[in-house]
Amino acid sequence: MRSSTTQVQVGNVSIGGNAPIVVQSMTNTDTADAKATAEQIAELAKAGSELVRITINNQAAAQALPKIKDLLLLANCHVPLVGDFHFNGHKLLNDNPECAQLLDKYRINPGNVGKGKRRDEQFAQMIEMACKHNKPVRIGVNWGSLDPAVLARLMDENSQQQNPLDNTAIMHQAVITSALESAAAAEEIGLPHNHIILSCKMSGVQDLIAVYQTLTTQSDYPLHLGLTEAGMGSKGIVSSTAALAILLQQGIGDTIRISLTPEPGASRTAEVKVAQEILQSLELRAFTPAVIACPGCGRTTSTYFQQLAKDIQTYLNEQMPVWKETHQGVEKMNVAVMGCVVNGPGESKHANIGISLPGTGEKPVAPVYVDGSKTVTLKGNHIAEEFQQIVNDYVKTHYV
């Protein structure tokens, strides 16, 4: 049971309450380039992103949204779109009512809406536009752009305490306070309670965990999780997984994004796959059949089982867009591809379908297990093709 009891509707996606944890991502195209942006949105949606956030940073970006939506409709892509606003969002929403209406949600950073009196006025204008168009809002605080007035106030209050907190604790408190005070202000203006999602993005694993563990005790808003500026490659993946896995296991979090820095020219969809794999590994959701494969050792000097595992995983991923429409529940299937007799038969019996390939010096045969029972022993030069057919037949007969 998750800690957020309020449910927010974003287009055709529910966030919070008992709804499944939602995977989202963000484009990195120039939003003013409607064609490139629509293509990347469609790519992300196809990969499994259930919400896609786009930057709305100038008039050209705001004015491109109708064209983007038209292109998405032509591609039969109906993923909800979130507008990411900083600094000038009040003006862009006011000057571009079609953009304000077409977006499914607004993301507002309280630290980037202005300073002093202007901050309150401009924040209010954005919330009023959300009320006018009946749009939910993510109030997204980021410690890299924290409202300096909130931080200064808490620092002053802390300095007067008999036992003042350290700077890290005050930073955590300031991020949480900014989110909660902004949410309260939004409700005072007229935004319904069930139109608000909160996030408090940090770039440190322990910082993120500490902030969300506190935040979840102080509100029932749905929470967006993500380690901001997670980094590139394995560093970003490991850091994001370490932080989010702990929080998700504690029932904290209703929607997630993995903020990976992509390799030059690499697909943006990598962050979607990582998010899905985190949720599937924690058994919170299932997205694609899992392939269980041994890492290999001195008993498996041949790389045949590695190639077979790769081929089967690729085959499953390629089939999923078709299977998910016609074979309900197939995403929960487990396939084991093992490399020798030590754990091969046992792991194969635990999976829905498993194959135990011969290790070095073992008899060149590969027993196949279906739902715990050995059904056939494969041998020869076409083991991969024959096993793939067994998997395909299993899907057709067990998931209808």
Side-chain angles (χ1 to χ4, degrees):
M1 183 67 180
R2 295 201 298 282
S3 54
S4 303
T5 56
T6 300
Q7 189 169 103
V8 176
Q9 194 68 26
V10 182
N12 57 7
V13 174
S14 298
I15 299 177
N18 294 320
I21 297 169
V22 172
V23 172
Q24 61 178 279
S25 54
M26 185 175 184
T27 59
N28 62 356
T29 57
D30 179 357
T31 308
D33 186 340
K35 183 175 182 294
T37 301
E39 287 176 350
Q40 190 173 75
I41 291 169
E43 181 186 26
L44 290 167
K46 183 178 180 180
S49 184
E50 294 157 308
L51 296 179
V52 177
R53 183 157 48 110
I54 61 176
T55 298
I56 307 292
N57 59 331
N58 53 40
Q59 288 287 344
Q63 292 168 2
L65 193 59
K67 179 64 173 177
I68 291 169
K69 289 288 287 189
D70 287 343
L71 290 170
L72 290 174
L73 289 174
L74 286 173
N76 197 30
C77 178
H78 304 282
V79 64
L81 299 183
V82 181
D84 191 67
F85 295 99
H86 298 271
F87 309 113
N88 58 354
H90 61 291
K91 180 173 176 57
L92 294 174
L93 286 169
N94 184 68
D95 293 349
N96 299 277
E98 191 172 8
C99 171
Q101 179 57 43
L102 288 173
L103 289 169
D104 295 283
K105 186 178 75 170
Y106 308 156
R107 187 272 177 137
I108 304 174
N109 183 340
N112 286 342
V113 295
K115 297 180 180 179
K117 184 179 179 181
R118 289 178 58 201
R119 177 208 177 279
D120 294 340
E121 292 175 352
Q122 292 170 184
F123 179 80
Q125 289 176 40
M126 298 184 74
I127 297 301
E128 287 166 358
M129 291 298 293
C131 294
K132 178 181 178 180
H133 295 285
N134 193 31
K135 303 298 180 180
V137 171
R138 171 159 72 95
I139 295 175
V141 180
N142 191 307
W143 79 331
S145 51
L146 182 61
D147 186 347
V150 173
L151 181 59
R153 187 184 85 217
L154 293 181
M155 293 282 282
D156 288 343
E157 293 173 358
N158 185 59
S159 66
Q160 299 172 20
Q161 301 299 314
Q162 185 174 359
N163 297 304
L165 301 174
D166 62 27
N167 288 341
T168 298
I170 292 300
M171 174 66 78
H172 293 176
Q173 187 179 343
V175 170
I176 295 168
T177 298
S178 179
L180 294 177
E181 289 184 351
S182 296
E187 289 199 51
E188 283 187 23
I189 294 166
L191 191 66
H193 187 82
N194 67 350
H195 278 44
I196 297 173
I197 297 170
L198 298 184
S199 70
C200 292
K201 293 291 196 73
M202 316 290 283
S203 60
V205 171
Q206 296 295 348
D207 294 307
L208 190 80
I209 293 169
V211 163
Y212 274 90
Q213 286 175 335
T214 301
L215 179 62
T216 196
T217 66
Q218 298 183 15
S219 81
D220 68 342
Y221 297 110
L223 301 179
H224 169 82
L225 297 187
L227 193 72
T228 189
E229 288 90 41
M232 183 179 288
S234 60
K235 185 270 179 188
I237 294 172
V238 171
S239 296
S240 293
T241 303
L244 269 59
I246 290 172
L247 293 170
L248 292 168
Q249 186 68 17
Q250 294 174 354
I252 299 171
D254 302 280
T255 176
I256 66 173
R257 185 208 169 189
I258 309 302
S259 300
L260 296 180
T261 303
E263 298 284 348
S267 172
R268 190 73 162 176
T269 59
E271 64 178 46
V272 179
K273 294 300 183 185
V274 173
Q276 290 180 330
E277 288 170 5
I278 290 173
L279 293 176
Q280 185 148 342
S281 295
L282 291 170
E283 299 181 4
L284 295 172
R285 290 190 66 181
F287 297 95
T288 189
V291 173
I292 302 161
C294 68
C297 66
R299 291 176 174 269
T300 57
T301 54
S302 168
T303 60
Y304 186 75
F305 83 94
Q306 298 170 6
Q307 187 61 49
L308 180 58
K310 180 180 178 181
D311 290 346
I312 289 296
Q313 184 71 76
T314 299
Y315 175 72
L316 295 175
N317 289 337
E318 290 175 348
Q319 293 302 308
M320 270 308 295
V322 177
W323 283 350
K324 71 180 181 181
E325 300 295 333
T326 57
H327 300 286
Q328 187 176 6
V330 68
E331 66 276 3
K332 298 180 181 179
M333 181 175 68
N334 289 320
V335 179
V337 181
M338 304 302 293
C340 79
V341 73
V342 173
N343 291 318
E347 286 283 3
S348 297
K349 290 176 183 177
H350 291 314
N352 296 109
I353 311 170
I355 185 169
S356 181
L357 295 166
T360 304
E362 295 178 15
K363 189 176 180 180
V365 295
V368 174
Y369 299 81
V370 176
D371 291 330
S373 300
K374 187 167 76 169
T375 59
V376 67
T377 298
L378 303 180
K379 55 186 175 180
N381 298 323
H382 301 288
I383 291 177
E385 293 86 347
E386 292 172 8
F387 183 66
Q388 185 170 294
Q389 186 58 49
I390 291 172
V391 172
N392 201 44
D393 291 342
Y394 185 91
V395 170
K396 290 181 178 179
T397 56
H398 287 72
Y399 303 98
V400 295

mmCIF file of all heavy atoms in Angstrom, residues 129-152:
data_model
loop_
_atom_site.group_PDB
_atom_site.id
_atom_site.type_symbol
_atom_site.label_atom_id
_atom_site.label_comp_id
_atom_site.label_asym_id
_atom_site.label_seq_id
_atom_site.Cartn_x
_atom_site.Cartn_y
_atom_site.Cartn_z
ATOM 1 N N MET A 129 -4.473 29.676 -14.379
ATOM 2 C CA MET A 129 -4.626 29.075 -15.702
ATOM 3 C C MET A 129 -4.933 27.580 -15.578
ATOM 4 O O MET A 129 -5.732 27.032 -16.341
ATOM 5 C CB MET A 129 -3.367 29.296 -16.526
ATOM 6 C CG MET A 129 -3.123 30.741 -16.930
ATOM 7 S SD MET A 129 -4.446 31.405 -17.976
ATOM 8 C CE MET A 129 -4.232 30.442 -19.461
ATOM 9 N N ALA A 130 -4.304 26.921 -14.623
ATOM 10 C CA ALA A 130 -4.593 25.504 -14.396
ATOM 11 C C ALA A 130 -6.041 25.321 -13.964
ATOM 12 O O ALA A 130 -6.717 24.374 -14.409
ATOM 13 C CB ALA A 130 -3.646 24.940 -13.343
ATOM 14 N N CYS A 131 -6.532 26.212 -13.108
ATOM 15 C CA CYS A 131 -7.930 26.140 -12.672
ATOM 16 C C CYS A 131 -8.868 26.384 -13.854
ATOM 17 O O CYS A 131 -9.867 25.674 -14.035
ATOM 18 C CB CYS A 131 -8.193 27.167 -11.577
ATOM 19 S SG CYS A 131 -7.322 26.864 -10.027
ATOM 20 N N LYS A 132 -8.539 27.382 -14.660
ATOM 21 C CA LYS A 132 -9.384 27.734 -15.797
ATOM 22 C C LYS A 132 -9.531 26.575 -16.771
ATOM 23 O O LYS A 132 -10.628 26.321 -17.290
ATOM 24 C CB LYS A 132 -8.792 28.952 -16.512
ATOM 25 C CG LYS A 132 -9.566 29.385 -17.750
ATOM 26 C CD LYS A 132 -8.916 30.592 -18.417
ATOM 27 C CE LYS A 132 -9.658 30.994 -19.683
ATOM 28 N NZ LYS A 132 -9.029 32.183 -20.340
ATOM 29 N N HIS A 133 -8.439 25.868 -17.006
ATOM 30 C CA HIS A 133 -8.455 24.784 -17.995
ATOM 31 C C HIS A 133 -8.599 23.405 -17.344
ATOM 32 O O HIS A 133 -8.487 22.387 -18.039
ATOM 33 C CB HIS A 133 -7.182 24.840 -18.838
ATOM 34 C CG HIS A 133 -7.071 26.080 -19.683
ATOM 35 N ND1 HIS A 133 -7.819 26.258 -20.821
ATOM 36 C CD2 HIS A 133 -6.318 27.202 -19.544
ATOM 37 C CE1 HIS A 133 -7.526 27.439 -21.362
ATOM 38 N NE2 HIS A 133 -6.624 28.029 -20.604
ATOM 39 N N ASN A 134 -8.812 23.390 -16.028
ATOM 40 C CA ASN A 134 -9.013 22.133 -15.292
ATOM 41 C C ASN A 134 -7.833 21.179 -15.476
ATOM 42 O O ASN A 134 -8.004 19.998 -15.790
ATOM 43 C CB ASN A 134 -10.314 21.459 -15.717
ATOM 44 C CG ASN A 134 -10.723 20.346 -14.770
ATOM 45 O OD1 ASN A 134 -10.444 20.389 -13.569
ATOM 46 N ND2 ASN A 134 -11.386 19.323 -15.294
ATOM 47 N N LYS A 135 -6.618 21.704 -15.280
ATOM 48 C CA LYS A 135 -5.400 20.913 -15.452
ATOM 49 C C LYS A 135 -4.731 20.626 -14.110
ATOM 50 O O LYS A 135 -4.646 21.502 -13.252
ATOM 51 C CB LYS A 135 -4.400 21.653 -16.346
ATOM 52 C CG LYS A 135 -4.936 22.016 -17.717
ATOM 53 C CD LYS A 135 -5.315 20.790 -18.539
ATOM 54 C CE LYS A 135 -5.846 21.204 -19.909
ATOM 55 N NZ LYS A 135 -6.233 20.042 -20.729
ATOM 56 N N PRO A 136 -4.226 19.407 -13.920
ATOM 57 C CA PRO A 136 -3.423 19.127 -12.730
ATOM 58 C C PRO A 136 -2.055 19.774 -12.846
ATOM 59 O O PRO A 136 -1.602 20.124 -13.948
ATOM 60 C CB PRO A 136 -3.321 17.600 -12.726
ATOM 61 C CG PRO A 136 -3.461 17.218 -14.162
ATOM 62 C CD PRO A 136 -4.381 18.226 -14.783
ATOM 63 N N VAL A 137 -1.396 19.925 -11.708
ATOM 64 C CA VAL A 137 -0.095 20.588 -11.649
ATOM 65 C C VAL A 137 0.866 19.751 -10.820
ATOM 66 O O VAL A 137 0.494 19.253 -9.749
ATOM 67 C CB VAL A 137 -0.227 21.992 -11.014
ATOM 68 C CG1 VAL A 137 1.152 22.603 -10.741
ATOM 69 C CG2 VAL A 137 -1.034 22.915 -11.907
ATOM 70 N N ARG A 138 2.073 19.581 -11.331
ATOM 71 C CA ARG A 138 3.144 19.058 -10.469
ATOM 72 C C ARG A 138 3.934 20.241 -9.947
ATOM 73 O O ARG A 138 4.531 20.984 -10.730
ATOM 74 C CB ARG A 138 4.080 18.096 -11.192
ATOM 75 C CG ARG A 138 5.315 17.760 -10.314
ATOM 76 C CD ARG A 138 5.994 16.479 -10.716
ATOM 77 N NE ARG A 138 6.721 16.547 -11.952
ATOM 78 C CZ ARG A 138 8.039 16.800 -12.044
ATOM 79 N NH1 ARG A 138 8.755 17.071 -10.970
ATOM 80 N NH2 ARG A 138 8.633 16.796 -13.217
ATOM 81 N N ILE A 139 3.930 20.413 -8.648
ATOM 82 C CA ILE A 139 4.767 21.418 -8.013
ATOM 83 C C ILE A 139 6.105 20.737 -7.762
ATOM 84 O O ILE A 139 6.237 19.902 -6.867
ATOM 85 C CB ILE A 139 4.119 21.934 -6.723
ATOM 86 C CG1 ILE A 139 2.815 22.666 -7.080
ATOM 87 C CG2 ILE A 139 5.066 22.848 -5.965
ATOM 88 C CD1 ILE A 139 2.007 23.135 -5.899
ATOM 89 N N GLY A 140 7.059 21.061 -8.609
ATOM 90 C CA GLY A 140 8.330 20.349 -8.621
ATOM 91 C C GLY A 140 9.473 21.188 -8.092
ATOM 92 O O GLY A 140 10.020 22.035 -8.795
ATOM 93 N N VAL A 141 9.822 20.965 -6.847
ATOM 94 C CA VAL A 141 10.947 21.671 -6.227
ATOM 95 C C VAL A 141 12.235 20.946 -6.588
ATOM 96 O O VAL A 141 12.284 19.717 -6.612
ATOM 97 C CB VAL A 141 10.781 21.730 -4.698
ATOM 98 C CG1 VAL A 141 11.945 22.462 -4.050
ATOM 99 C CG2 VAL A 141 9.459 22.397 -4.338
ATOM 100 N N ASN A 142 13.269 21.697 -6.881
ATOM 101 C CA ASN A 142 14.585 21.133 -7.197
ATOM 102 C C ASN A 142 15.625 21.859 -6.356
ATOM 103 O O ASN A 142 15.641 23.086 -6.331
ATOM 104 C CB ASN A 142 14.871 21.305 -8.692
ATOM 105 C CG ASN A 142 16.077 20.509 -9.140
ATOM 106 O OD1 ASN A 142 17.155 20.617 -8.571
ATOM 107 N ND2 ASN A 142 15.906 19.717 -10.189
ATOM 108 N N TRP A 143 16.475 21.098 -5.682
ATOM 109 C CA TRP A 143 17.409 21.761 -4.771
ATOM 110 C C TRP A 143 18.441 22.611 -5.513
ATOM 111 O O TRP A 143 19.086 23.467 -4.913
ATOM 112 C CB TRP A 143 18.063 20.759 -3.832
ATOM 113 C CG TRP A 143 19.213 19.935 -4.375
ATOM 114 C CD1 TRP A 143 19.428 19.545 -5.654
ATOM 115 C CD2 TRP A 143 20.277 19.402 -3.599
ATOM 116 N NE1 TRP A 143 20.563 18.791 -5.741
ATOM 117 C CE2 TRP A 143 21.116 18.685 -4.485
ATOM 118 C CE3 TRP A 143 20.615 19.431 -2.250
ATOM 119 C CZ2 TRP A 143 22.256 18.028 -4.056
ATOM 120 C CZ3 TRP A 143 21.750 18.775 -1.823
ATOM 121 C CH2 TRP A 143 22.565 18.083 -2.719
ATOM 122 N N GLY A 144 18.551 22.426 -6.826
ATOM 123 C CA GLY A 144 19.445 23.264 -7.612
ATOM 124 C C GLY A 144 18.843 24.612 -7.966
ATOM 125 O O GLY A 144 19.545 25.505 -8.440
ATOM 126 N N SER A 145 17.529 24.746 -7.758
ATOM 127 C CA SER A 145 16.857 26.023 -8.049
ATOM 128 C C SER A 145 15.845 26.322 -6.950
ATOM 129 O O SER A 145 14.721 26.722 -7.205
ATOM 130 C CB SER A 145 16.159 25.959 -9.413
ATOM 131 O OG SER A 145 15.335 24.813 -9.520
ATOM 132 N N LEU A 146 16.274 26.105 -5.722
ATOM 133 C CA LEU A 146 15.411 26.300 -4.563
ATOM 134 C C LEU A 146 15.105 27.777 -4.351
ATOM 135 O O LEU A 146 15.965 28.644 -4.556
ATOM 136 C CB LEU A 146 16.102 25.724 -3.326
ATOM 137 C CG LEU A 146 15.351 25.784 -1.996
ATOM 138 C CD1 LEU A 146 14.046 25.010 -2.084
ATOM 139 C CD2 LEU A 146 16.235 25.222 -0.887
ATOM 140 N N ASP A 147 13.868 28.064 -3.951
ATOM 141 C CA ASP A 147 13.456 29.442 -3.672
ATOM 142 C C ASP A 147 14.361 30.015 -2.575
ATOM 143 O O ASP A 147 14.329 29.544 -1.429
ATOM 144 C CB ASP A 147 12.001 29.454 -3.203
ATOM 145 C CG ASP A 147 11.447 30.853 -3.019
ATOM 146 O OD1 ASP A 147 12.246 31.811 -3.007
ATOM 147 O OD2 ASP A 147 10.221 30.992 -2.876
ATOM 148 N N PRO A 148 15.193 31.017 -2.892
ATOM 149 C CA PRO A 148 16.138 31.544 -1.898
ATOM 150 C C PRO A 148 15.457 32.162 -0.693
ATOM 151 O O PRO A 148 16.028 32.169 0.416
ATOM 152 C CB PRO A 148 16.940 32.586 -2.691
ATOM 153 C CG PRO A 148 16.083 32.940 -3.861
ATOM 154 C CD PRO A 148 15.304 31.718 -4.183
ATOM 155 N N ALA A 149 14.236 32.677 -0.875
ATOM 156 C CA ALA A 149 13.540 33.295 0.252
ATOM 157 C C ALA A 149 13.178 32.251 1.309
ATOM 158 O O ALA A 149 13.295 32.504 2.520
ATOM 159 C CB ALA A 149 12.287 34.014 -0.238
ATOM 160 N N VAL A 150 12.748 31.078 0.872
ATOM 161 C CA VAL A 150 12.405 30.008 1.805
ATOM 162 C C VAL A 150 13.647 29.551 2.558
ATOM 163 O O VAL A 150 13.636 29.393 3.785
ATOM 164 C CB VAL A 150 11.764 28.823 1.067
ATOM 165 C CG1 VAL A 150 11.566 27.632 2.010
ATOM 166 C CG2 VAL A 150 10.436 29.232 0.455
ATOM 167 N N LEU A 151 14.734 29.366 1.822
ATOM 168 C CA LEU A 151 15.969 28.910 2.453
ATOM 169 C C LEU A 151 16.485 29.942 3.455
ATOM 170 O O LEU A 151 16.879 29.584 4.574
ATOM 171 C CB LEU A 151 17.032 28.632 1.384
ATOM 172 C CG LEU A 151 18.375 28.116 1.882
ATOM 173 C CD1 LEU A 151 18.207 26.815 2.655
ATOM 174 C CD2 LEU A 151 19.342 27.915 0.709
ATOM 175 N N ALA A 152 16.468 31.216 3.080
ATOM 176 C CA ALA A 152 16.955 32.270 3.975
ATOM 177 C C ALA A 152 16.110 32.339 5.246
ATOM 178 O O ALA A 152 16.640 32.496 6.357
ATOM 179 C CB ALA A 152 16.945 33.609 3.248
#
